[in-house]
Amino acid sequence: MLAYSGGLDTSVAIPWLRETKGLDVVSVTVDVGQPVDLERVRRKAQASGATASYVADARREFAEEFILPALQANALYEGTYPLSTALARPLIARHMVSVARHEGASFIAHGCTGKGNDQVRFDLATASLAPELGVLAPAREWKMTREDEIAYARERGIPVDATKSSPYSTDENLWGRSAECGILEDPSVEPPEEVYGWTRSPAEAPETPTYVTVEFDQGRPVALGGDRRPLHELIARLNEVAGANGVGRIDHLESRVVGIKSREVYECPAATVLLSAHQALEALVLPRDLLDFKRTVELRYGQLVYDGLWFAPLRLALDAFVRSSQERVTGEVTVKLFKGSARVAGRRSPYSLYDAGLATYSSGDRFRQEMAEGFIYVWGLPVRTWASLEPRAPATPARAREPLP
Ligand code: ARG
C-alpha cells in the first residue's frame, strides 16, 4: 500500500518495490487540498505499474479532525510553523491503513527520505493504528539521485514531467505550503520571490487594507464575513483573501526530529489569520490561569504533532483538555490584512470577561480602588518578608527583625 502523490519519487517507487521486493503495489492518493487531479494521478499510478489505485477526497476530514484540534490548541512548532505538513501525514496514514486492511496488504510504503520528519510521521502513525503492518520506505534504501530516478523511470516507460525543473521541493495542503532545497539551503540568503506560490509579495499587495471578520462557535470558525461555510471551504477562501494581501509567509530555521537544522519557507495565509483570531478571542473569554496553563499544553501539543505522535495517548489526552477549554470561545474577531501583516482589529463575544465598568478610567467606574491597598499588602507579604531579611550592604551584620510596615 503505497502513499502516492503522483510525483517522481513515488512513481519510481512502484517498479522499485515490484522489482526489488517482489511485491504487488497498490497506490493510495489522498486529497488534502493540494492542487491535484485525482483522475490523472490514478492513471499515472497505473502507468507506473500499480495493480490497483485508490483516491480519496479527504479535505473535509482533514479540516474537521486534524486542522481544527490543532487550531484550538494554537499549535505552532517552535512558535513559528503551523504544522501544515505534519498534520496531513497521520490522516494520510489512516487512509492507507484502512485500505491496507481492506486489501489484505502486509506493508505500508511511502516516498520519504531518511533525513526528514515525514518518515517519522508515517511510520509512527502506522505503528499506532496498525502495529501488525510493516513499513517500507524505498527512498531510504535506494540511494538514487534525482537524475538516477529520472533515468530509472525512463527505462521503464514511466512518464516524467520534464517541465518540472523547479529546484524546490514543495508540499501543499489546506493548512499551508512548504518549500525547501535550492538556494533556500543557504539560510543567510533571503528567499527569492519565485519560491512563493500562494502569496502575493507584500510590496505588491493592495494599498488599502482588507478586513475579514471570523466568527467562532466554541473554538470553531464557522463564518467569514457573515458567510457560513464548512471549515475546509472557509480555510480555502481565507488562503486566497489573505494570500492576496501577502499574509502568511514564514521563514523558519527549523529543528527536525532527526537532529538536522533545516531552512524551510512556508506560506500559511489562512492559518496565520485563524491562529491570531482564535488567540485574540481566547484572550477575551478565558481567565488568566487557564490561558497560562493552556500555553504550556499548546507548546507540548505542537511538539507532539511535529514529532509524529498524533495518535499517541498524550496527544489525545491533551486534546480533551483543549476541547474542554473551548466551551466559551464563541464570538467574532476582525482581522486587518495589509501588505503582509494580519493584525487583530477588534473582537467581541457573549462570554467576554471584559467589563467596561471595571476597566474604564472614565465615569461609570465600579472598581473599588480603596480595596487595592489591602490586596497588595497581603499579596506582597512574601517579597516584603524576604526583603526585610536581606543585608543592605555586604559585611553589614544581620539586624534584629523590625516590624513589617
Ligand atoms: N519541514 C516541514 C515538516 O517537517 C515540511 C516538510 C515538507 N515535506 C516535504 N516532503 N516536502 O513538517
Side-chain angles (χ1 to χ4, degrees):
M1 203 58 46
L2 171 70
Y4 184 68
S5 69
L8 179 64
D9 294 336
T10 52
S11 295
V12 167
I14 297 176
W16 189 89
L17 285 164
R18 264 215 334 237
E19 294 170 24
T20 316
K21 308 277 177 188
L23 296 165
D24 285 335
V25 181
V26 174
S27 72
V28 179
T29 304
V30 182
D31 180 356
V32 283
Q34 75 275 37
V36 67
D37 176 344
L38 289 177
E39 260 325 297
R40 255 194 70 196
V41 170
R42 194 209 295 273
R43 282 200 301 275
K44 185 161 179 197
Q46 265 152 18
S48 306
T51 53
S53 48
Y54 288 80
V55 295
D57 177 354
R59 286 174 295 175
R60 179 183 292 266
E61 184 187 355
F62 182 41
E64 300 288 337
E65 293 179 46
F66 294 81
I67 293 175
L68 182 59
L71 169 63
Q72 295 183 336
N74 298 316
L76 279 176
Y77 181 62
E78 295 186 322
T80 309
Y81 162 44
L83 294 159
S84 37
T85 296
L87 285 165
R89 297 322 192 205
L91 164 66
I92 296 169
R94 192 165 77 183
H95 275 265
M96 308 260 294
V97 164
S98 84
V99 183
R101 291 205 164 126
H102 179 73
E103 287 267 344
S106 35
F107 293 100
I108 295 281
H110 57 71
C112 309
T113 71
K115 296 177 68 173
N117 299 313
D118 287 327
Q119 54 169 347
V120 182
R121 298 166 185 151
F122 277 123
D123 291 18
L124 294 187
T126 306
S128 308
L129 298 173
E132 75 281 5
L133 286 175
V135 179
L136 293 169
R140 280 198 295 233
E141 294 183 38
W142 66 32
K143 296 186 173 70
M144 283 194 273
T145 63
R146 194 168 171 81
E147 293 68 39
D148 297 336
E149 287 182 49
I150 291 173
Y152 189 96
R154 289 231 162 91
E155 281 160 25
R156 287 157 182 82
I158 294 171
V160 175
D161 195 346
T163 58
K164 279 224 178 106
S165 56
S166 162
Y168 307 111
S169 160
T170 58
D171 182 61
E172 294 172 78
N173 65 50
L174 274 177
W175 207 227
R177 175 183 189 270
S178 85
E180 53 195 308
C181 303
I183 185 69
L184 299 177
E185 287 181 358
D186 183 344
S188 71
V189 173
E190 182 181 11
E193 207 41 49
E194 61 174 23
V195 167
Y196 300 103
W198 284 16
T199 53
R200 192 177 289 166
S201 160
E204 263 131 51
E207 297 299 323
T208 52
T210 304
Y211 289 87
V212 288
T213 299
V214 186
E215 192 184 317
F216 288 87
D217 180 18
Q218 300 200 315
R220 174 198 174 84
V222 289
L224 209 56
D227 181 15
R228 291 181 83 85
R229 288 166 189 250
L231 185 58
H232 65 286
E233 287 180 21
L234 192 149
I235 292 169
R237 176 83 193 110
L238 200 47
N239 273 327
E240 282 169 26
V241 176
N245 283 279
V247 167
R249 294 184 171 189
I250 297 162
D251 179 349
H252 188 192
L253 201 296
E254 182 172 314
S255 313
R256 287 191 188 162
V257 184
V258 292
I260 299 172
K261 292 277 189 189
S262 78
R263 200 284 189 90
E264 210 91 17
V265 173
Y266 298 103
E267 292 172 279
C268 304
T272 301
V273 173
L274 289 177
L275 286 162
S276 313
H278 180 255
Q279 285 179 43
L281 188 54
E282 285 189 329
L284 185 67
V285 303
L286 299 184
R288 184 171 81 156
D289 56 356
L290 177 49
L291 283 172
D292 269 2
F293 189 77
K294 189 166 180 283
R295 294 288 167 261
T296 67
V297 170
E298 292 170 354
L299 181 68
R300 195 63 190 269
Y301 195 104
Q303 288 166 352
L304 289 166
V305 174
Y306 190 83
D307 291 353
L309 294 168
W310 179 264
F311 294 112
L314 178 56
R315 210 278 308 168
L316 296 168
L318 295 184
D319 214 38
F321 168 83
V322 170
R323 213 170 317 120
S324 150
S325 73
Q326 300 299 293
E327 221 170 276
R328 296 191 187 190
V329 185
T330 294
E332 280 179 14
V333 181
T334 299
V335 183
K336 179 181 186 174
L337 311 174
F338 185 55
K339 287 196 167 293
S341 75
R343 289 188 210 288
V344 171
R347 67 291 265 162
R348 77 169 95 230
S349 166
Y351 300 107
S352 172
L353 297 175
Y354 181 88
D355 182 335
L358 293 177
T360 187
Y361 287 100
S362 309
S363 62
D365 186 1
R366 288 188 297 101
F367 187 83
R368 293 161 64 184
Q369 297 203 34
E370 69 283 3
M371 307 299 266
E373 190 182 348
F375 162 73
I376 296 166
Y377 175 76
V378 175
W379 179 242
L381 265 181
V383 285
R384 205 181 289 278
T385 307
W386 172 269
S388 72
L389 289 180
E390 243 180 342
R392 298 282 147 89
T396 307
R399 292 172 304 119
R401 189 187 291 263
E402 288 162 18
L404 287 170

